[in-house]
Structure formats: C-alpha cells, structure tokens
Amino acid sequence: MEVNLHGVQNMMRVLLRISGFIAIIMPFFTVAGDDFHFRYLNDRVTDYSNKIVVCDSKKVTPKLSKSETNALKRIISERPLILAYLSTSSYNKCLQPERGELAEALLAYQYLELPSYTVKLAKSTEKLAFTTDFDNLKSYESLRNNDRNFIDSIVVLQQPFNELEVFERIMGM
C-alpha cells in the first residue's frame, strides 16, 4: 500500500477546518475548563498542517550523479518500494518537530478520559496523519548493508523530493 501524501495533506487541511469549527461551537456544549485538551490537540493539528505547507514548498527534484543514478536504478529495479520509503522518510524528517509533538499528544490522549468531540478529533487525526506502510519499510530494511549505506549517503535524498520525477530520472523515462 503506497501512502498518498497529497491526499493525506488535503485530509489534514479538512481536519483543521473541522477542528476549527468545533472549537467555535464547543463552548456551548462544555463546562468551562473542559476544552483544554481539545484546544491543545487543535493547536498541534494546526502546527502540523502549517508544517505540511512548509515541507511541500521544500520539495525538489534532486540532482544525482551518473554513478548515483546507475546504482539507484539497479536498487530500485530490484525493490521499487525503496523510493517510496525514502520519499516518505525525508518528508517525515521535514515535518519535525511538529509531527512528533502531534504524535505525543495523540498517544497520551489514549489514556485520558476526554469529551467525545476530543476523542473524535484525536482518532481522526491519528488515522490521517500516522498511516504507515510497512511494505516500504520492509523493502528498505531488506537491502544489503552496502546498498543501504550507499542510499543513506546520498544527501539530496534526505530532503523532501518529488518521488515521481526522481523515479522517472533514475529509470531514464
């Protein structure tokens, strides 16, 4: 299963709008002070959504040397999910620390007694923001050590990049 980052980004924007609407109407349904957890989570969602915009603006098509391109072509031909893993990994690194702060809040909220609207926001956010494709990770982890070390040494693949354009360049399309 390949994660569609564009779809996730759009869903995060929708979630942000919904959480903003709930924040407006929430005082009518709660007692004063009951909305701390919702507001805190809403702020983390807002920060994360804003960081998505920043990371989207940083996506580039990296320039790879001829030797890097040839080696990557061999590796990707054998394990095509590697490029998806690298793209997602570089994007998630860009989303820090906001992604980590959101994950921390969502994890902690699983152990608290919270109003239903906060629980709904937390569960929706978790589904949208933290879908993991273990096939991509498994493919990366199954690389030979020298191939993994080689890929990890390519600095331009550690920044957000346009996966389709990179694939086309590597494969000579």
Side-chain angles (χ1 to χ4, degrees):
M1 175 178 105
E2 186 172 317
V3 176
N4 180 344
L5 287 178
H6 183 66
V8 170
Q9 294 159 1
N10 286 337
M11 292 305 294
M12 287 302 297
R13 289 182 186 107
V14 168
L15 184 62
L16 179 61
R17 290 186 184 117
I18 291 169
S19 66
F21 174 73
I22 292 173
I24 291 169
I25 65 167
M26 184 181 52
F28 299 108
F29 300 108
T30 63
V31 179
D34 284 351
D35 60 346
F36 168 81
H37 292 97
F38 180 87
R39 287 184 191 185
Y40 182 80
L41 180 57
N42 190 56
D43 288 347
R44 299 300 66 78
V45 170
T46 300
D47 293 346
Y48 183 68
S49 297
N50 291 337
K51 191 65 173 265
I52 287 172
V53 173
V54 169
C55 292
D56 282 345
S57 71
K58 292 182 176 184
K59 279 189 176 181
V60 296
T61 303
K63 294 182 180 158
L64 300 165
S65 71
K66 183 94 168 153
S67 63
E68 290 171 333
T69 301
N70 290 336
L72 286 170
K73 185 174 185 176
R74 177 189 54 79
I75 294 168
I76 291 170
S77 293
E78 294 172 9
R79 291 191 175 84
L81 296 178
I82 297 297
L83 196 58
Y85 171 80
L86 294 172
S87 176
T88 301
S89 178
S90 67
Y91 197 75
N92 286 340
K93 286 176 190 171
C94 179
L95 290 171
Q96 296 303 328
E98 290 80 359
R99 182 173 170 83
E101 292 167 357
L102 178 59
E104 184 178 278
L106 292 172
L107 181 62
Y109 280 22
Q110 293 177 17
Y111 302 99
L112 301 175
E113 288 290 325
L114 299 169
S116 64
Y117 55 84
T118 304
V119 171
K120 287 178 185 177
L121 177 61
K123 287 183 180 183
S124 299
T125 301
E126 184 177 349
K127 287 178 185 175
L128 291 172
F130 295 100
T131 303
T132 300
D133 187 338
F134 287 103
D135 290 337
N136 295 348
L137 176 60
K138 183 179 176 183
S139 186
Y140 174 78
E141 291 292 329
S142 69
L143 284 172
R144 293 181 295 268
N145 282 339
N146 59 337
D147 285 342
R148 190 175 326 129
N149 291 338
F150 170 75
I151 287 173
D152 291 343
S153 73
I154 303 174
V155 177
V156 294
L157 293 180
Q158 295 172 12
Q159 304 300 315
F161 61 89
N162 184 317
E163 185 180 332
L164 184 58
E165 287 179 18
V166 171
F167 178 79
E168 289 174 346
R169 276 196 181 168
I170 291 170
M171 302 312 273
M173 299 176 158

